[in-house]
Amino acid sequence: MKILLGVTGGIAAYKALELTRLFIKAGHQVQVVMTTGAKEFIQPLSFQALSGHPVRDSLFDANQEAGMGHIELARWADQIVIAPASAETLAKLRMGRADDLLTTLCLATDRPVMLAPAMNRLMWRNAATQENVDVLKQRGLEILPPASGEQACGEVGEGRMPEPQAIFEAVMRAEKMRLQTQQAGSALKAFWHNKALLITAGPTYEDIDPVRFIGNRSSGKMGFAIAEVAAKAGASVTLIAGPVALPTPQGVKRIDVRSAQQMFAAVQQQVAAADCFISAAAVADFRVEQPASQKLKKRQDEEEMTLTLVKNPDIVAWVAAQDNKPFVVGFAAETNDVIDYAKDKLRRKKLDMICANQVGEGQGFERDDNALTLISATEQRGLALSGKREQALELLAFIAQQQSSVD
Ligand code: C5P
């Protein structure tokens, strides 16, 4: 791996020598960029001797630029590591400034950037620094939390740079994770590219009268996340959405419906073109037999009122019963005995796969995370709690696996 190591001004700068040695020993290439502050603490020559490359420290030095221009240097790196990262450098990165070589390189790169902040404990705790760290994290930079202990200034607290070995391991771990995600991504694309996915999401509303309805707590977030991830993987996605206020994921064709009957009609119209049907909607099992055409009035003499409900069509079971049916995936949202109910539904509705979803007690509905159990006739896989997009990725990978083993 080609590592661009940024060293900024701080007493921990000397530890960056050991970090350079660890990278080189493991067979990686290192080029070091120092800030003016860093050179107050340590000699560039030490880094040059260890890395085998002259140290870069200036944006405007014609000789240095003649060797390798700064944009070339930014392109050269697979990974940028700044250790130690001073409070000043964090602030400059947050602002997007480019008044020295290191910050310019960070602006001019799309490669991963990892920071190992090191500073006095009060500087670290300062709201300004913490805010800078939060913003940088949101932008996708990886920040290694500083260690606690005795500081060079004599104080004790959080702000020490993690040991070089710990930084080295964090860089290796990040690289391994990137490779894994890349591999999983290309496997997903290989399967889903040009596949037609039809998916339902959200609740249905069954009208009682023009102002009241029977609904449920499905947010639609799980189905929308699946639609988004599948579209990113190259699938052509049609999303039939119950009443939810979620933005349409990019590249997804959306059909809005309100009731189970409308959802059924839309599915009937679209299903012939689908290679896969995922029924993530929480479809109402019953609807009001005769919705009132005018708002029902409260009558003084009435202590009770009765609504007659009739059964809705079971959409997913209907799809699964078709000749030439697509690969059919259902959801089972339950508050108890989830896996047993899910397995029963898989058999009863003749689905190819079901996603068991524990709901209630702060789980499942109306949330951004989830923990599905994926069940097919031959396999069961429990997913760890994670964001709905991550769950969607695993789900789509599971479908790809199931279908590839059939083909
Ligand atoms: O039977 P139950 O509603 O628990 O089954 C859940 C699965 O069946 C979900 O995938 C849901 O989208 C689907 N379903 C359906 N039509 C219904 C009821 C549920 O497609 N009327």
Side-chain angles (χ1 to χ4, degrees):
M1 190 172 23
K2 296 182 184 123
I3 299 161
L4 193 99
L5 177 61
V7 183
T8 72
I11 187 69
Y14 77 93
K15 288 194 194 169
L17 284 175
E18 173 63 6
L19 183 58
T20 307
R21 200 185 63 80
L22 288 171
F23 286 139
I24 296 287
K25 207 174 97 187
H28 303 290
Q29 295 181 53
V30 180
Q31 293 217 44
V32 177
V33 172
M34 296 178 83
T35 60
T36 313
K39 287 186 290 176
E40 299 291 330
F41 290 88
I42 197 152
Q43 284 293 328
L45 211 54
S46 312
F47 284 111
Q48 178 168 334
L50 280 172
S51 69
H53 289 286
V55 168
R56 297 286 303 260
D57 54 14
S58 168
L59 194 51
F60 304 112
D61 184 315
N63 290 331
Q64 288 188 357
E65 282 289 304
M68 190 190 267
H70 61 274
I71 297 293
E72 252 174 288
L73 189 58
R75 278 205 207 113
W76 171 85
D78 297 316
Q79 161 91 57
I80 298 183
V81 182
I82 306 184
S86 64
E88 168 72 2
T89 299
L90 294 179
K92 287 210 282 197
L93 290 177
R94 187 248 170 104
M95 297 281 289
R97 296 195 55 165
D99 64 348
D100 62 16
L101 179 63
L102 185 58
T103 47
T104 304
L105 290 173
C106 287
L107 268 190
T109 188
D110 54 4
R111 305 296 149 83
V113 178
M114 187 183 283
L115 308 175
M119 65 200 73
N120 165 277
R121 68 185 175 94
L122 292 175
M123 289 170 78
W124 172 249
R125 273 225 318 254
N126 191 291
T129 305
Q130 287 303 313
E131 214 182 281
N132 292 338
V133 166
D134 285 344
V135 171
L136 292 171
K137 271 191 199 160
Q138 274 167 30
R139 285 187 203 150
L141 281 76
E142 186 170 347
I143 311 230
L144 301 178
S148 243
E150 197 171 324
Q151 299 204 296
C153 50
E155 295 181 15
V156 176
E158 213 181 354
R160 285 167 59 96
M161 190 173 94
E163 291 309 312
Q165 182 67 30
I167 301 175
F168 171 77
E169 282 166 17
V171 172
M172 295 303 125
R173 224 177 11 250
E175 169 72 359
K176 198 169 148 200
M177 265 179 55
R178 264 194 305 277
L179 277 175
Q180 279 171 352
T181 319
Q182 235 171 42
Q183 279 163 0
S186 31
L188 207 66
K189 280 191 187 131
F191 177 82
W192 282 102
H193 184 70
N194 282 340
K195 288 267 188 327
L197 170 67
L198 180 64
I199 178 165
T200 62
T204 62
Y205 284 179
E206 307 301 327
D207 287 339
I208 298 170
D209 66 18
V211 294
R212 305 179 180 98
F213 58 86
I214 300 173
N216 62 67
R217 291 171 61 174
S218 165
S219 65
K221 285 180 183 168
M222 190 64 240
F224 273 63
I226 299 169
E228 178 188 332
V229 175
K232 275 205 187 116
S236 103
V237 182
T238 304
L239 168 65
I240 301 175
V244 292
L246 294 173
T248 310
Q250 216 179 356
V252 168
K253 177 179 153 198
R254 173 177 183 165
I255 301 171
D256 284 310
V257 297
R258 180 174 170 84
S259 65
Q261 280 184 305
Q262 286 171 2
M263 188 172 275
F264 186 38
V267 168
Q268 285 177 307
Q269 215 173 55
Q270 301 292 327
V271 77
D275 298 306
C276 178
F277 174 60
I278 302 181
S279 183
V283 187
D285 293 324
F286 292 91
R287 69 176 177 276
V288 178
E289 185 178 32
Q290 260 172 351
S293 57
Q294 289 182 323
K295 186 184 166 198
L296 294 171
K297 296 281 185 299
K298 183 163 62 186
R299 295 231 315 255
Q300 291 305 333
D301 56 339
E302 259 182 359
E303 285 302 317
E304 285 178 3
M305 83 165 285
T306 305
L307 283 174
T308 305
L309 304 180
V310 293
K311 210 161 190 183
N312 267 327
D314 190 317
I315 304 171
V316 78
W318 179 87
V319 173
Q322 300 305 298
D323 299 337
N324 257 336
K325 69 179 179 74
F327 186 86
V328 183
V329 183
F331 269 72
E334 300 287 350
T335 52
N336 54 293
D337 304 318
V338 196
I339 305 290
D340 286 345
Y341 276 118
K343 285 184 174 165
D344 178 56
K345 252 173 238 179
L346 180 78
R347 278 189 294 270
R348 197 163 30 84
K349 301 194 185 203
K350 299 194 167 56
L351 310 178
D352 297 299
M353 183 185 145
I354 194 150
C355 311
N357 195 4
Q358 173 87 45
V359 292
E361 290 166 37
Q363 263 187 294
F365 282 167
E366 298 168 343
R367 292 179 58 106
D368 291 322
D369 55 15
N370 211 351
L372 298 173
T373 302
L374 311 176
I375 305 169
S376 72
T378 52
E379 217 182 321
Q380 178 172 332
R381 186 183 304 165
L383 306 181
L385 184 75
S386 67
K388 286 185 171 168
R389 275 198 196 92
E390 284 73 36
Q391 300 278 311
L393 250 164
E394 302 254 15
L395 193 162
L396 292 168
F398 190 84
I399 297 175
Q401 262 172 28
Q402 300 296 312
Q403 289 211 272
S404 310
S405 58
V406 170
D407 290 348

